[in-house]
Coordinates of all heavy atoms in Angstrom, one line a residue:
A2 N 0.8 -1.2 0.0 CA 0.0 0.0 0.0 C 0.9 1.3 0.0 O 0.5 2.3 -0.6 CB -0.9 0.0 1.2
A3 N 2.0 1.2 0.6 CA 2.9 2.4 0.7 C 4.0 2.4 -0.3 O 4.7 3.4 -0.4 CB 3.5 2.4 2.1
C4 N 4.1 1.4 -1.1 CA 5.2 1.2 -2.0 C 5.2 2.3 -3.1 O 4.2 2.4 -3.8 CB 5.2 -0.2 -2.6 SG 6.7 -0.8 -3.3
P5 N 6.3 3.0 -3.4 CA 6.3 4.0 -4.5 C 6.2 3.2 -5.8 O 6.5 2.0 -5.9 CB 7.6 4.7 -4.3 CG 8.4 3.9 -3.4 CD 7.5 3.0 -2.6
D6 N 5.9 4.0 -6.8 CA 5.6 3.4 -8.2 C 6.9 2.7 -8.7 O 6.7 1.7 -9.5 CB 5.2 4.4 -9.1 CG 3.7 4.9 -8.8 OD1 3.0 4.2 -8.1 OD2 3.4 6.0 -9.3
H7 N 8.1 3.1 -8.4 CA 9.3 2.5 -9.0 C 9.7 1.2 -8.3 O 10.7 0.6 -8.7 CB 10.4 3.5 -9.0 CG 10.9 3.8 -7.6 ND1 10.3 4.7 -6.7 CD2 12.0 3.4 -7.0 CE1 11.0 4.8 -5.6 NE2 12.1 4.0 -5.7
L8 N 8.9 0.8 -7.3 CA 9.2 -0.5 -6.6 C 7.9 -1.4 -6.5 O 6.8 -0.8 -6.7 CB 9.7 -0.2 -5.1 CG 11.0 0.6 -5.0 CD1 11.2 0.9 -3.5 CD2 12.1 -0.2 -5.6
Q9 N 8.1 -2.7 -6.2 CA 7.0 -3.6 -6.1 C 7.2 -4.5 -4.9 O 8.3 -4.8 -4.5 CB 6.8 -4.4 -7.3 CG 6.3 -3.7 -8.5 CD 6.1 -4.6 -9.7 OE1 6.7 -5.7 -9.8 NE2 5.2 -4.2 -10.7
T10 N 6.0 -4.9 -4.3 CA 6.1 -5.8 -3.2 C 5.7 -7.2 -3.7 O 4.7 -7.3 -4.5 CB 5.0 -5.4 -2.1 OG1 5.4 -4.0 -1.7 CG2 5.1 -6.3 -0.9
T11 N 6.4 -8.2 -3.3 CA 6.1 -9.6 -3.7 C 6.1 -10.5 -2.4 O 6.6 -10.1 -1.4 CB 7.0 -10.1 -4.7 OG1 8.3 -10.3 -4.1 CG2 7.1 -9.3 -5.9
I12 N 5.6 -11.7 -2.6 CA 5.7 -12.7 -1.5 C 6.3 -13.9 -2.2 O 6.1 -14.2 -3.3 CB 4.4 -13.0 -0.8 CG1 3.3 -13.5 -1.8 CG2 3.9 -11.8 0.0 CD1 2.1 -14.1 -1.1
E13 N 7.1 -14.7 -1.4 CA 7.6 -16.0 -1.8 C 8.3 -16.0 -3.1 O 7.9 -16.8 -4.0 CB 6.6 -17.1 -1.6 CG 6.1 -17.2 -0.2 CD 5.1 -18.3 0.0 OE1 4.6 -18.9 -1.0 OE2 4.8 -18.6 1.2
L14 N 9.2 -15.0 -3.4 CA 9.9 -14.9 -4.6 C 11.2 -15.7 -4.6 O 11.9 -15.6 -3.6 CB 10.2 -13.4 -4.8 CG 10.8 -13.0 -6.1 CD1 9.9 -13.2 -7.3 CD2 11.2 -11.5 -6.1
N15 N 11.5 -16.5 -5.6 CA 12.7 -17.2 -5.7 C 13.8 -16.1 -6.0 O 13.9 -15.5 -7.1 CB 12.7 -18.2 -6.9 CG 11.8 -19.3 -6.6 OD1 11.7 -19.9 -5.6 ND2 11.1 -19.7 -7.7
V16 N 14.7 -15.9 -5.0 CA 15.8 -14.9 -5.2 C 17.1 -15.7 -5.3 O 17.5 -16.4 -4.5 CB 15.8 -14.0 -4.0 CG1 17.0 -13.0 -4.1 CG2 14.5 -13.2 -3.8
L17 N 17.8 -15.4 -6.5 CA 19.1 -16.0 -6.7 C 20.1 -15.1 -6.1 O 20.4 -14.0 -6.6 CB 19.3 -16.1 -8.2 CG 20.6 -16.8 -8.7 CD1 20.7 -18.2 -8.2 CD2 20.7 -16.8 -10.2
L18 N 20.8 -15.6 -5.0 CA 21.8 -14.8 -4.4 C 23.2 -15.0 -5.1 O 23.9 -14.0 -5.2 CB 22.0 -15.2 -2.9 CG 20.8 -15.1 -2.0 CD1 21.1 -15.5 -0.6 CD2 20.3 -13.6 -2.0
S19 N 23.5 -16.2 -5.5 CA 24.7 -16.5 -6.3 C 24.4 -17.8 -6.9 O 23.3 -18.4 -6.8 CB 25.9 -16.5 -5.4 OG 25.8 -17.6 -4.5
S20 N 25.4 -18.3 -7.6 CA 25.2 -19.5 -8.4 C 24.8 -20.8 -7.6 O 24.2 -21.7 -8.1 CB 26.4 -19.9 -9.3 OG 27.5 -20.1 -8.4
G21 N 25.1 -20.8 -6.3 CA 24.8 -21.9 -5.5 C 23.8 -21.6 -4.3 O 23.7 -22.3 -3.4
R22 N 23.1 -20.4 -4.5 CA 22.2 -20.0 -3.4 C 20.9 -19.4 -3.9 O 20.9 -18.4 -4.6 CB 22.9 -18.9 -2.5 CG 24.2 -19.5 -1.8 CD 24.9 -18.4 -1.1 NE 26.0 -19.0 -0.3 CZ 26.9 -18.4 0.3 NH1 27.0 -17.0 0.2 NH2 27.9 -19.0 0.9
L23 N 19.9 -20.2 -3.6 CA 18.5 -19.8 -4.0 C 17.7 -19.7 -2.8 O 17.5 -20.8 -2.1 CB 17.9 -20.8 -5.0 CG 16.5 -20.5 -5.5 CD1 16.4 -19.2 -6.3 CD2 16.0 -21.7 -6.2
V24 N 17.1 -18.6 -2.4 CA 16.3 -18.4 -1.2 C 14.9 -17.9 -1.6 O 14.7 -17.4 -2.7 CB 17.0 -17.5 -0.2 CG1 18.3 -18.1 0.4 CG2 17.2 -16.1 -0.8
I25 N 14.0 -18.1 -0.7 CA 12.6 -17.7 -0.9 C 12.2 -16.9 0.4 O 11.6 -17.4 1.3 CB 11.7 -18.9 -1.1 CG1 12.2 -19.8 -2.2 CG2 10.3 -18.4 -1.4 CD1 11.4 -21.1 -2.3
P26 N 12.4 -15.6 0.4 CA 12.0 -14.8 1.5 C 10.5 -14.8 1.6 O 9.8 -15.0 0.6 CB 12.5 -13.3 1.2 CG 13.5 -13.5 0.1 CD 13.2 -14.8 -0.6
D27 N 10.0 -14.5 2.8 CA 8.5 -14.5 3.0 C 7.9 -13.3 2.1 O 6.8 -13.5 1.5 CB 8.1 -14.3 4.4 CG 8.4 -15.6 5.2 OD1 8.3 -16.7 4.7 OD2 8.8 -15.4 6.4
F28 N 8.6 -12.2 2.1 CA 8.1 -11.0 1.3 C 9.3 -10.2 0.9 O 10.4 -10.3 1.5 CB 7.1 -10.2 2.0 CG 7.5 -9.7 3.4 CD1 8.1 -8.5 3.6 CD2 7.1 -10.5 4.5 CE1 8.5 -8.1 4.9 CE2 7.5 -10.1 5.8 CZ 8.2 -8.9 6.0
T29 N 9.2 -9.5 -0.2 CA 10.3 -8.7 -0.7 C 9.8 -7.4 -1.3 O 8.6 -7.2 -1.6 CB 11.0 -9.4 -1.9 OG1 10.1 -9.7 -2.9 CG2 11.7 -10.7 -1.4
I30 N 10.7 -6.4 -1.4 CA 10.5 -5.2 -2.1 C 11.5 -5.3 -3.2 O 12.7 -5.4 -3.0 CB 10.7 -3.9 -1.3 CG1 9.8 -3.9 -0.1 CG2 10.6 -2.7 -2.1 CD1 8.3 -3.8 -0.4
V31 N 11.1 -5.1 -4.5 CA 12.0 -5.2 -5.6 C 11.8 -4.1 -6.6 O 10.8 -3.4 -6.6 CB 11.8 -6.6 -6.4 CG1 12.1 -7.8 -5.4 CG2 10.4 -6.7 -7.0
K32 N 12.9 -3.9 -7.4 CA 12.8 -3.0 -8.6 C 12.2 -3.9 -9.7 O 12.8 -4.9 -10.0 CB 14.2 -2.5 -9.0 CG 14.9 -1.7 -7.9 CD 16.3 -1.4 -8.3 CE 17.1 -0.9 -7.2 NZ 18.6 -0.8 -7.5
P33 N 11.0 -3.5 -10.2 CA 10.4 -4.4 -11.1 C 11.2 -4.6 -12.4 O 11.9 -3.8 -12.9 CB 9.1 -3.7 -11.5 CG 9.2 -2.3 -10.9 CD 10.3 -2.3 -10.0
R34 N 11.1 -5.9 -12.9 CA 11.8 -6.3 -14.1 C 11.2 -7.6 -14.5 O 10.6 -8.3 -13.8 CB 13.3 -6.3 -13.9 CG 13.7 -7.5 -13.0 CD 15.1 -7.8 -12.9 NE 15.6 -8.2 -14.2 CZ 16.9 -8.4 -14.4 NH1 17.8 -8.3 -13.5 NH2 17.3 -8.7 -15.6
E35 N 11.5 -7.9 -15.8 CA 11.1 -9.2 -16.3 C 12.1 -10.2 -15.8 O 13.3 -9.9 -15.8 CB 11.0 -9.2 -17.8 CG 9.9 -8.5 -18.4 CD 8.5 -9.1 -17.9 OE1 8.4 -10.3 -18.0 OE2 7.6 -8.3 -17.6
A36 N 11.7 -11.3 -15.3 CA 12.6 -12.3 -14.8 C 11.9 -13.7 -14.9 O 10.7 -13.8 -15.0 CB 13.0 -12.1 -13.3
G37 N 12.7 -14.7 -15.0 CA 12.2 -16.1 -15.1 C 11.8 -16.6 -13.7 O 11.3 -15.9 -12.9
V38 N 12.1 -17.8 -13.5 CA 11.8 -18.5 -12.2 C 12.6 -17.9 -11.1 O 12.1 -17.9 -10.0 CB 12.1 -20.0 -12.4 CG1 11.9 -20.7 -11.0 CG2 11.2 -20.6 -13.4
M39 N 13.8 -17.4 -11.4 CA 14.7 -16.9 -10.4 C 14.8 -15.4 -10.6 O 15.1 -14.9 -11.7 CB 16.0 -17.6 -10.4 CG 16.0 -19.0 -10.1 SD 17.6 -19.8 -10.2 CE 17.9 -19.8 -12.0
F40 N 14.7 -14.6 -9.5 CA 14.8 -13.2 -9.5 C 16.2 -12.8 -9.1 O 16.7 -13.3 -8.0 CB 13.8 -12.5 -8.6 CG 13.5 -11.1 -8.9 CD1 12.6 -10.7 -9.9 CD2 14.2 -10.1 -8.2 CE1 12.4 -9.4 -10.1 CE2 14.0 -8.8 -8.5 CZ 13.0 -8.4 -9.5
P41 N 16.9 -11.9 -9.8 CA 18.3 -11.6 -9.4 C 18.4 -10.7 -8.2 O 17.6 -9.7 -8.0 CB 18.8 -10.8 -10.7 CG 17.6 -10.3 -11.3 CD 16.5 -11.2 -11.0
V42 N 19.3 -11.0 -7.3 CA 19.4 -10.2 -6.1 C 19.8 -8.8 -6.3 O 19.4 -7.9 -5.5 CB 20.5 -10.9 -5.2 CG1 21.9 -10.7 -5.7 CG2 20.4 -10.4 -3.7
S43 N 20.3 -8.5 -7.4 CA 20.7 -7.1 -7.7 C 19.5 -6.1 -7.7 O 19.7 -4.9 -7.6 CB 21.5 -7.0 -9.0 OG 20.7 -7.5 -10.1
D44 N 18.3 -6.6 -8.0 CA 17.1 -5.8 -8.0 C 16.2 -6.0 -6.8 O 15.1 -5.6 -6.7 CB 16.3 -6.1 -9.3 CG 17.0 -5.6 -10.5 OD1 17.6 -4.5 -10.4 OD2 17.0 -6.3 -11.5
V45 N 16.8 -6.6 -5.7 CA 16.0 -6.7 -4.4 C 16.5 -5.6 -3.5 O 17.6 -5.4 -3.2 CB 16.3 -8.1 -3.8 CG1 15.6 -8.2 -2.5 CG2 15.9 -9.2 -4.8
V46 N 15.5 -4.9 -3.0 CA 15.7 -3.7 -2.1 C 15.6 -4.2 -0.6 O 16.3 -3.8 0.3 CB 14.8 -2.6 -2.4 CG1 14.9 -1.4 -1.4 CG2 15.0 -2.1 -3.8
L47 N 14.6 -5.0 -0.3 CA 14.2 -5.4 1.0 C 13.8 -6.9 1.0 O 13.0 -7.3 0.1 CB 13.1 -4.5 1.6 CG 12.6 -4.9 3.0 CD1 12.2 -3.6 3.7 CD2 11.4 -5.8 3.0

């Protein structure tokens, strides 16, 4: 509800931290972008 337009809130997003690390935070704030099954950590804010 408070998220500015340049960011998005998600839940249970597959976040790729590095080549051997895939985590699923309960919720995230991200810079929106097209992504496949794994979302790159470089666009994760919270």
Side-chain angles (χ1 to χ4, degrees):
C4 201
D6 290 340
H7 68 283
L8 298 173
Q9 290 182 336
T10 304
T11 67
I12 59 169
E13 297 182 351
L14 183 67
N15 292 320
V16 176
L17 181 62
L18 298 182
S19 67
S20 62
R22 295 177 174 166
L23 177 68
V24 295
I25 307 171
D27 291 326
F28 51 90
T29 56
I30 302 294
V31 299
K32 299 173 192 170
R34 67 171 299 175
E35 288 298 316
V38 174
M39 297 178 289
F40 198 87
V42 72
S43 59
D44 290 322
V45 177
V46 175
L47 177 148

